[in-house]
Amino acid sequence: MFKLIFRTINIIVLLTILTIGLAFWKGGEPFRWVGDGMVTIGEKVSDVGDLVDEMIDGGKKVQKSYKELKEVIEPKE
């Protein structure tokens, strides 16, 4: 059982070292798609943030309009 755990840890460490070595050797070219994906994800998150901001502003306008209509319909005595 300990041999299996030890071998698994060794394989993980070896693969990590090989991956880092490949990244340095190739100048990071094989991993550029990760950066491109992060840029795309960042743009989409920014779009969602803008949408949420618009919804919040719209909600405040609706709330203000509702209060004005309520005052017109039910005047305060």
Side-chain angles (χ1 to χ4, degrees):
M1 185 66 183
F2 289 114
K3 281 186 176 182
L4 178 65
I5 294 171
F6 184 72
R7 286 183 182 172
T8 304
I9 291 172
N10 281 341
I11 289 173
I12 291 170
V13 169
L14 179 66
L15 288 175
T16 304
I17 291 171
L18 286 175
T19 303
I20 292 170
L22 178 65
F24 280 114
W25 182 47
K26 293 287 187 175
E29 188 63 37
F31 305 102
R32 296 215 192 274
W33 60 272
V34 175
D36 295 339
M38 291 296 173
V39 168
T40 304
I41 290 170
E43 291 172 353
K44 297 300 179 189
V45 167
S46 177
D47 292 344
V48 170
D50 292 340
L51 178 67
V52 170
D53 288 342
E54 289 176 11
M55 289 174 63
I56 289 173
D57 291 340
K60 289 178 183 176
K61 290 177 186 175
V62 168
Q63 190 176 21
K64 183 179 176 184
S65 299
Y66 174 75
K67 287 180 182 178
E68 290 174 358
L69 285 175
K70 188 175 178 182
E71 289 176 5
V72 170
I73 294 172
E74 298 176 4
K76 294 183 181 178
E77 294 178 17

